[in-house]
Amino acid sequence: MASNGVEEPLLSGMVDPSVQTKKKNFLKRRYRHSKSAPLAEFFPSETKGTGQIPHTESITGKLHPTFKQVAIFLAVYLGVGAVTFLLVRNQIEGKKTDGFLDAVYFCIVTMTTVGYGDLVPDSTLTKLLACAFVFTGMALIGLILSKAADYLVEKQEILLVKALHMSHKVSTTEILKEVETNKVRYKCLTVFILLLVLIIIGTIFLATVEKLDLVDAFYCVCATITTLGYGDKSFSTEVGRAFAVIWILTSTITLAQFFLYFAELNTERRQRALANWVRTRKMTSVDLEAADIDDDGFVDASDFIIYKLKEMGKISQEDISLLLEEFKDLDVDQSGTLSVSDITLAQS
Amino acid sequence: MASNGVEEPLLSGMVDPSVQTKKKNFLKRRYRHSKSAPLAEFFPSETKGTGQIPHTESITGKLHPTFKQVAIFLAVYLGVGAVTFLLVRNQIEGKKTDGFLDAVYFCIVTMTTVGYGDLVPDSTLTKLLACAFVFTGMALIGLILSKAADYLVEKQEILLVKALHMSHKVSTTEILKEVETNKVRYKCLTVFILLLVLIIIGTIFLATVEKLDLVDAFYCVCATITTLGYGDKSFSTEVGRAFAVIWILTSTITLAQFFLYFAELNTERRQRALANWVRTRKMTSVDLEAADIDDDGFVDASDFIIYKLKEMGKISQEDISLLLEEFKDLDVDQSGTLSVSDITLAQS
């Protein structure tokens, strides 16, 4: 088994964010830090939108659906959902407004698992349809969460930092650096502010358009964004439901996002503590012996780095073993080091 | 910024599983693969429950709450919730059975965000209490998801593999190896089977005790485990609610778990593809130059491994830079390699 999966944190890959995020960061990082230019061309389609290297292109395409693909999934899902529930609208019970709007609204309330119950399926067919739509909807929400996330937040972060530093003038470079250094913190803050805005908008809307008193409006907002959806208060007017379609989707995803970023912040803090502890731990002679990964009799900088990365749990022995084999295949003259002639010979 | 956080997949740290899981795997791995025994003692409290090394102990304690702590959180949450809603039971409207049972049931329906709406808060106080309980409940569910997970599934996996191989006799060692190799796949399968069992139990229960017809029972089960909770069908008898308290909590968490493992499976597959591609990619002379991380003029096995791990996005330039500095501090005689005298001198 490739070690990566096992080494991954438990909730790492909800739908598939891991590879994508990792790769994105890795790319960004490359451009900035690496002394090797060619690496930066690894996934050209991601940064430049063009694909000079066909092979790389196909790898990228296979590895993760793009943001655009997710948007198309959502559109198709809502389209199919709306048409389906429009066709069976007589088998759905509850407070109705416009047929099409109700169908979309029902679809959104179902896929986000808010489930107010102000519209409920009333036949075997619609009940089973609702079951099918809630499962696929959940999967889709997971996919949206994994994609929309960083993509949408990144630009807002910069605006946020600009706003925070409005009083003292700072250059764009400084802002970018600040954002990079405290990335997760700013992501968290950005999403939190967005969430507050959505809560306020929702409360005001419910109070004015749906004529709820302020506590009820706030209560309905909380019950909605958490997907609790008791259903004693919900959107019952046509305008209300049109608003709800957009607002419910945005706010439930934003809250989920906030929880995730908050958790990431926590994880980061812990990982940093662990890494620091490992880095500064005293070496013993036993460590020294163990660190000589290539058994060449001495511990150079690279040996030391690999040993410490292993200690931090960032890489596994399996990662190392596989690459060590690869190295041995390349090292044709068995000198223990790679030269241009080695790789020319090995790859010819 | 420590690079780890950024390199982490998007959804990696829901509450804080990452460090914990990583460390657990890393530990297990160590025992099996590492040639260095001392490393295995890194987090003694996790494997042996004893703490010979006080410093290590405190690091572990700070890094993650234990499974037991999470169980205590849940008990406290449900206790406080039950008492609170018992005290304000006259301000809650709906179909009631036993006062205490209803309070616990309401608490569970709220924290899992199922929100049937068969019991709804009916005063400003109870509405605001419900808001507070749903947010804290969600955070707690996240925490449970991050802890209960591997802990509970691991033993069942082995039983599952045993059952699957019942016809041909295989040794325990072979089973353990099989489980290890296809870890995520078996976790996924185990949780899926558990989910099926919970769905069947729930459907039978609703059909017999709550007297729903089969389609309605299945529909109510689906609406519950997805936390949709329209509320047109729910648990209305005393026995039903007692069952619901356990069943709702278990089944919603199991479904969430299934989604997460499924996603992990996906992530693993993609990461493996990426790692394979990087590993077998042809080296060029430019690569060779870039791979000489310690600038000592040649690329040995460790240099090659670090270069490839960087390409895979498993480690970042920042990880390397920090450790390189640490190495230079230790390498007192500046020979480019570490010796026992180096570390004795550096650490004295």
Side-chain angles (χ1 to χ4, degrees):
Chain A
M1 151 182 255
S3 54
N4 5 10
V6 179
E7 292 283 286
E8 275 307 303
L10 178 61
L11 308 192
S12 77
M14 195 162 174
V15 186
D16 65 349
S18 170
V19 168
Q20 189 254 7
T21 319
K22 265 202 173 150
K23 221 168 28 193
K24 248 169 62 195
N25 288 321
F26 151 42
L27 238 190
K28 275 186 254 150
R29 217 157 267 288
R30 283 297 151 141
Y31 273 118
R32 260 178 246 124
H33 308 286
S34 174
K35 32 178 192 168
S36 68
L39 284 184
E41 295 177 354
F42 241 36
F43 300 100
S45 64
E46 185 121 39
T47 36
K48 296 176 223 146
T50 58
Q52 308 93 312
I53 310 167
H55 182 204
T56 315
E57 261 294 84
S58 72
I59 280 273
T60 317
K62 262 196 284 182
L63 284 178
H64 60 277
T66 61
F67 181 70
K68 200 172 138 194
Q69 280 172 306
V70 175
I72 292 171
F73 282 157
L74 180 63
V76 169
Y77 179 88
L78 286 180
V80 172
V83 171
T84 310
F85 290 115
L86 185 63
L87 290 175
V88 294
R89 67 182 175 282
N90 296 326
Q91 298 167 45
I92 290 181
E93 222 181 34
K95 171 97 184 71
K96 298 191 182 175
T97 64
D98 175 64
F100 181 74
L101 186 60
D102 284 354
V104 181
Y105 172 74
F106 180 73
C107 214
I108 290 278
V109 168
T110 301
M111 80 178 291
T112 55
T113 77
V114 168
Y116 290 127
D118 52 352
L119 290 174
V120 288
D122 195 32
S123 69
T124 302
L125 173 68
T126 44
K127 280 172 187 170
L128 295 179
L129 275 175
C131 292
F133 270 85
V134 68
F135 281 111
T136 44
M138 276 179 94
L140 187 55
I141 292 284
L143 201 63
I144 294 175
L145 263 175
S146 77
K147 295 292 150 189
D150 288 346
Y151 192 92
L152 294 179
V153 170
E154 255 158 40
K155 280 164 203 162
Q156 292 168 330
E157 272 177 336
I158 295 169
L159 291 178
L160 176 71
V161 180
K162 263 189 193 154
L164 288 175
H165 291 283
M166 204 118 81
S167 49
H168 5 257
K169 282 188 181 158
V170 277
S171 71
T172 315
T173 333
E174 275 166 3
I175 287 175
L176 283 174
K177 209 182 145 197
E178 170 82 6
V179 170
E180 179 65 14
T181 318
N182 294 299
K183 193 143 204 73
V184 188
R185 199 170 304 175
Y186 279 118
K187 282 199 287 194
C188 218
L189 192 59
T190 308
V191 172
F192 182 69
I193 291 172
L194 183 60
L195 190 63
L196 279 187
V197 171
L198 284 168
I199 289 176
I200 292 167
I201 291 175
T203 309
I204 292 173
F205 185 92
L206 281 163
T208 51
V209 179
E210 295 277 337
K211 313 278 182 223
L212 299 182
D213 73 45
L214 263 185
V215 171
D216 280 351
F218 176 71
Y219 161 73
C220 179
V221 164
C222 289
T224 305
I225 60 174
T226 57
T227 80
L228 182 55
Y230 289 129
D232 51 342
K233 308 285 171 206
S234 64
F235 296 87
S236 53
T237 64
E238 207 171 320
V239 184
R241 288 191 176 172
F243 168 80
V245 165
I246 308 292
W247 182 80
I248 292 177
L249 195 60
T250 325
S251 58
T252 51
I253 288 179
T254 306
L255 180 65
Q257 203 62 51
F258 173 69
F259 269 107
L260 293 170
Y261 281 147
F262 183 75
E264 202 179 330
L265 198 64
N266 229 5
T267 305
E268 194 191 67
R269 199 172 44 77
R270 282 152 196 247
Q271 283 190 327
R272 210 182 297 189
L274 178 65
N276 269 332
W277 182 68
V278 167
R279 205 160 45 232
T280 54
R281 199 178 68 90
K282 288 196 174 179
M283 292 279 282
T284 64
S285 54
V286 186
D287 287 326
L288 209 59
E289 198 186 312
D292 181 18
I293 189 93
D294 46 7
D295 277 323
D296 59 1
F298 54 88
V299 176
D300 67 7
S302 298
D303 294 334
F304 176 80
I305 291 171
I306 291 178
Y307 184 70
K308 286 290 188 179
L309 288 172
K310 249 174 77 183
E311 269 198 348
M312 289 176 195
K314 290 207 174 194
I315 57 174
S316 71
Q317 184 58 41
E318 263 159 304
D319 293 328
I320 299 170
S321 306
L322 285 168
L323 287 170
L324 209 53
E325 271 170 44
E326 183 67 25
F327 175 83
K328 281 175 185 156
D329 288 346
L330 282 178
D331 185 20
V332 181
D333 60 6
Q334 301 191 326
S335 61
T337 61
L338 285 189
S339 61
V340 179
S341 68
D342 277 333
I343 58 172
T344 319
L345 273 168
Q347 288 169 353
S348 65
Chain B
M1 150 184 254
S3 54
N4 4 11
V6 181
E7 292 282 286
E8 274 308 303
L10 177 61
L11 308 193
S12 76
M14 194 162 173
V15 187
D16 66 348
S18 169
V19 168
Q20 189 256 5
T21 318
K22 263 200 174 152
K23 220 167 27 187
K24 247 168 63 194
N25 289 319
F26 150 43
L27 239 191
K28 276 186 252 150
R29 219 159 265 289
R30 285 294 152 143
Y31 272 119
R32 261 178 243 120
H33 306 287
S34 174
K35 30 178 191 166
S36 68
L39 284 184
E41 295 178 352
F42 242 37
F43 300 102
S45 65
E46 186 121 40
T47 38
K48 296 175 226 148
T50 58
Q52 308 92 314
I53 311 167
H55 181 203
T56 315
E57 261 291 87
S58 72
I59 280 274
T60 318
K62 262 196 284 183
L63 284 177
H64 61 276
T66 61
F67 181 69
K68 200 172 136 194
Q69 280 173 305
V70 175
I72 292 172
F73 282 157
L74 180 63
V76 170
Y77 179 88
L78 286 180
V80 172
V83 171
T84 310
F85 289 116
L86 186 62
L87 289 175
V88 293
R89 66 181 176 282
N90 297 326
Q91 299 167 44
I92 291 180
E93 222 180 35
K95 170 96 184 69
K96 298 191 182 174
T97 65
D98 175 65
F100 181 74
L101 185 61
D102 284 355
V104 180
Y105 172 75
F106 180 74
C107 213
I108 291 279
V109 168
T110 301
M111 80 178 291
T112 55
T113 78
V114 168
Y116 290 126
D118 52 352
L119 289 174
V120 288
D122 196 33
S123 69
T124 302
L125 174 67
T126 43
K127 280 172 187 170
L128 294 179
L129 275 175
C131 292
F133 269 85
V134 68
F135 280 111
T136 44
M138 278 179 92
L140 187 55
I141 292 283
L143 200 63
I144 295 174
L145 264 175
S146 76
K147 295 294 152 188
D150 287 347
Y151 193 91
L152 294 179
V153 170
E154 254 157 42
K155 281 163 203 163
Q156 292 169 331
E157 272 176 337
I158 295 169
L159 291 178
L160 177 71
V161 181
K162 264 189 192 154
L164 289 175
H165 292 282
M166 206 119 80
S167 49
H168 5 257
K169 284 190 181 156
V170 277
S171 71
T172 315
T173 332
E174 275 166 5
I175 288 175
L176 284 173
K177 208 181 146 197
E178 169 83 5
V179 170
E180 179 66 15
T181 318
N182 294 298
K183 194 144 203 70
V184 188
R185 199 170 303 173
Y186 280 118
K187 282 199 289 193
C188 218
L189 193 58
T190 309
V191 172
F192 182 70
I193 291 172
L194 183 60
L195 190 63
L196 279 187
V197 171
L198 284 168
I199 289 176
I200 292 166
I201 291 175
T203 309
I204 292 173
F205 185 92
L206 281 163
T208 51
V209 179
E210 295 277 336
K211 314 279 181 220
L212 300 182
D213 73 45
L214 263 186
V215 171
D216 280 351
F218 177 72
Y219 160 72
C220 180
V221 164
C222 290
T224 305
I225 59 174
T226 57
T227 79
L228 183 54
Y230 290 130
D232 51 342
K233 308 284 172 209
S234 63
F235 296 86
S236 53
T237 64
E238 208 173 318
V239 184
R241 287 190 177 173
F243 168 80
V245 165
I246 308 291
W247 182 81
I248 292 177
L249 196 59
T250 325
S251 59
T252 51
I253 287 178
T254 306
L255 180 65
Q257 204 62 50
F258 173 69
F259 270 107
L260 292 171
Y261 281 147
F262 184 76
E264 203 179 329
L265 198 64
N266 229 6
T267 306
E268 194 189 66
R269 200 172 43 77
R270 282 152 198 245
Q271 283 190 328
R272 210 181 297 190
L274 177 65
N276 268 332
W277 181 70
V278 167
R279 205 160 44 231
T280 54
R281 201 178 67 92
K282 288 196 174 179
M283 292 279 282
T284 65
S285 54
V286 186
D287 286 326
L288 210 58
E289 199 186 312
D292 181 17
I293 189 94
D294 46 7
D295 277 323
D296 59 0
F298 53 87
V299 175
D300 67 7
S302 297
D303 294 334
F304 177 80
I305 290 171
I306 291 178
Y307 184 69
K308 287 289 188 179
L309 287 172
K310 248 173 78 183
E311 269 197 348
M312 289 175 195
K314 290 206 175 195
I315 57 174
S316 71
Q317 183 58 40
E318 264 160 302
D319 293 328
I320 299 170
S321 307
L322 284 168
L323 288 170
L324 209 53
E325 272 170 43
E326 184 65 26
F327 176 82
K328 281 176 186 156
D329 288 346
L330 282 177
D331 184 19
V332 181
D333 60 5
Q334 300 191 329
S335 61
T337 61
L338 286 189
S339 61
V340 179
S341 67
D342 277 333
I343 56 173
T344 319
L345 271 170
Q347 288 169 355
S348 64

